[in-house]
Amino acid sequence: MGKTFNFGAGPAKIPEAVMEKAQKEFLNYNGTTGISVLEMSHRSSDFGNIVSSTKKLLRDEMQIPGNYEILLLHGGGTGQFAGIPLNLRAFSKNSESPTADYAVTGSWSNGAAKEAEKYLTVKKVFDAKAPFLGAPIGNTWKRDPDAAYLYYCSNETIHGVEFPHAPETLPDIPLVADVSSNVLSRNFDFTNHGVVFCGTQKNLGAAGLTIAIVREDLIGKHHPFTPAILSYDEMHKNNSLFNTPSTYSIYLTHLVLEWIRDIGGVKKLEELNAQKSQLLYETIDNSGNFFVNNVQKDFRSRMNIPFHVGSVEGKPELEAEFLKKATAAGMIGLKGHRSVGGIRASIYNSVTMEETQKLVDFMKFFQSSHSD
């Protein structure tokens, strides 16, 4: 069997060097313990060192300011859809009926807004509606001066919509950013942010771990009925060890962060991601509408590139053939999300330029074999 090229949206490709080290240490962590991290007590000194080192690596590589706490949590990004309003609702200036602002630019921010409605009043400063093709930022947003926070998803995995920069917020109203699918793919500015969170199964390792980076002044005012497992205060007091965490996922994230550091950090990754996405978008745009990406160019994602084959809306039989032949050529994970169809290439940090070129070469070959 030849090499497999994984363009899946998540769980996604993990760098080969990380997988090789994890394999080497699988039965004997660090070559000294005699056991796997899978078997290791989360209360042991060895695992405590993994936790502290993981947090330090993340702080260094993401340049997280000192007044932010790093929490290692359960529940995926979806768990934070509830955790955020429960922990932050007290910061709304409307104590009788707390509010929060949400920018809806795709399925994930829409899902977050729906979940938050269980715990406070959601006001949508922007609601793109399907098919979610952009995220205009500007004075058209009607921000609520009483809002506890302004929520946005920096990169919509399904629709391929990415904010080029953080939206503006009103004074004293923190931004909350879901960076699950573009964390550490480019420089991130923490200015005005109160909470930045991500699941790790796209750019930072395996499924099972959620990272929340929370400004210190926002910890400790959670609603009384907040489950302890979602409480930033409880997790902070217990160094993210309130209960047994996703130990192996934390270990894998630690290895990914070491890999990021060793290849040149976020600066190097940002350069590579710009090159990879440019190559793919140029191939699409120069195809004479054989391949079509409908997202507004200023908001095109560098991580997730959806496109149709054959026309603006896509031709199902042609897209099915594309996927079948791509799989035969060793390229998997290219089927678009079930809600939108088409094709989607996810080119996260671990996807190499060579792998991206392999996909582009296949796309050009496929087009040439269907030219009139």
Side-chain angles (χ1 to χ4, degrees):
M1 182 177 178
K3 180 176 173 60
T4 298
F5 302 89
N6 185 1
F7 295 97
K13 180 188 175 184
I14 296 174
E16 290 180 18
V18 169
M19 297 292 278
E20 289 169 356
K21 184 170 183 180
Q23 182 184 44
K24 181 180 179 181
E25 294 189 328
F26 189 74
L27 296 177
N28 185 8
Y29 169 68
N30 204 29
T32 60
T33 62
I35 62 171
S36 171
V37 174
L38 282 171
E39 307 167 282
M40 188 179 291
S41 168
H42 62 294
R43 304 294 181 189
S44 67
S45 59
D46 284 317
F47 189 72
N49 289 335
I50 292 174
V51 168
S52 59
S53 181
T54 300
K55 290 183 177 182
K56 185 180 186 307
L57 280 165
L58 184 63
R59 191 177 295 277
D60 290 346
E61 296 309 312
M62 204 171 175
Q63 297 185 1
I64 300 171
N67 63 325
Y68 287 76
E69 294 296 333
I70 300 170
L71 307 177
L72 308 179
L73 309 172
H74 299 274
T78 305
Q80 290 307 295
F81 294 175
I84 287 160
L86 285 168
N87 282 279
L88 302 187
R89 70 198 300 273
F91 294 94
S92 171
K93 297 179 181 66
N94 188 341
S95 58
E96 302 246 338
S97 181
T99 65
D101 283 345
Y102 277 71
V104 176
T105 56
S107 291
W108 294 116
S109 50
N110 188 52
K114 285 184 177 179
E115 182 69 13
E117 287 174 346
K118 299 175 183 178
Y119 311 107
L120 42 66
T121 298
V122 167
K123 298 187 177 183
K124 296 179 180 179
V125 298
F126 178 75
D127 192 355
K129 306 289 187 185
F132 302 112
L133 302 178
I137 307 170
N139 295 328
T140 57
W141 287 17
K142 295 181 180 178
R143 299 168 178 85
D144 179 10
D146 292 334
Y149 55 88
L150 169 57
Y151 182 104
Y152 73 104
C153 179
S154 63
N155 184 72
E156 289 282 359
T157 317
I158 293 174
H159 300 92
V161 175
E162 184 171 20
F163 278 82
H165 55 80
E168 292 183 7
T169 185
L170 296 176
D172 301 323
I173 296 180
L175 291 170
V176 172
D178 176 357
V179 298
S180 292
S181 52
N182 65 352
V183 62
L184 287 165
S185 67
R186 63 182 191 181
N187 181 58
F188 186 86
D189 185 357
F190 279 85
T191 302
N192 296 328
H193 284 85
V195 180
V196 178
F197 74 94
C198 66
T200 55
Q201 70 274 16
K202 303 177 188 297
N203 259 340
L204 273 178
L209 171 63
T210 307
I211 298 173
I213 304 162
V214 186
R215 209 173 65 203
E216 290 175 345
D217 61 300
L218 299 179
I219 297 175
K221 293 187 178 180
H222 52 284
H223 194 278
F225 59 56
T226 303
I229 199 98
L230 292 178
S231 167
Y232 296 156
D233 192 42
E234 289 286 357
M235 286 297 177
H236 172 51
K237 288 177 180 176
N238 289 277
N239 191 32
S240 298
L241 300 174
F242 174 79
N243 66 335
T244 307
S246 300
T247 53
Y248 203 74
S249 295
I250 293 172
Y251 162 71
L252 284 174
T253 291
H254 179 268
L255 296 185
V256 172
L257 287 166
E258 287 184 327
W259 173 79
I260 290 173
R261 176 198 63 197
D262 294 344
I263 67 169
V266 174
K267 182 179 180 181
K268 180 64 175 178
L269 286 170
E270 186 166 10
E271 293 172 359
L272 290 172
N273 289 326
Q275 292 169 10
K276 290 185 297 181
S277 59
Q278 181 180 1
L279 178 62
L280 258 175
Y281 283 122
E282 284 181 350
T283 302
I284 293 168
D285 293 342
N286 294 332
S287 70
N289 283 336
F290 184 82
F291 301 113
V292 180
N293 172 276
N294 293 312
V295 178
Q296 298 169 24
K297 289 189 177 182
D298 288 346
F299 301 97
R300 282 176 162 181
S301 170
R302 290 184 178 183
M303 296 285 96
N304 309 100
I305 301 178
F307 57 92
H308 285 292
V309 181
S311 70
V312 173
E313 299 298 327
K315 295 181 179 179
E317 68 283 357
L318 206 55
E319 291 179 341
E321 182 186 350
F322 181 96
L323 291 169
K324 182 178 179 180
K325 290 186 175 179
T327 300
M331 288 172 281
I332 65 171
L334 285 165
K335 187 175 182 179
H337 191 270
R338 61 187 180 276
S339 65
V340 296
I343 314 296
R344 174 177 53 175
S346 295
I347 49 173
Y348 297 123
N349 287 341
S350 58
V351 175
T352 66
M353 190 66 180
E354 292 73 20
E355 290 168 329
T356 307
Q357 185 67 56
K358 172 83 172 179
L359 174 58
V360 163
D361 291 343
F362 171 77
M363 291 168 66
K364 291 180 178 178
F365 169 77
F366 187 83
Q367 180 178 1
S368 67
S369 66
H370 290 81
S371 60
D372 296 331

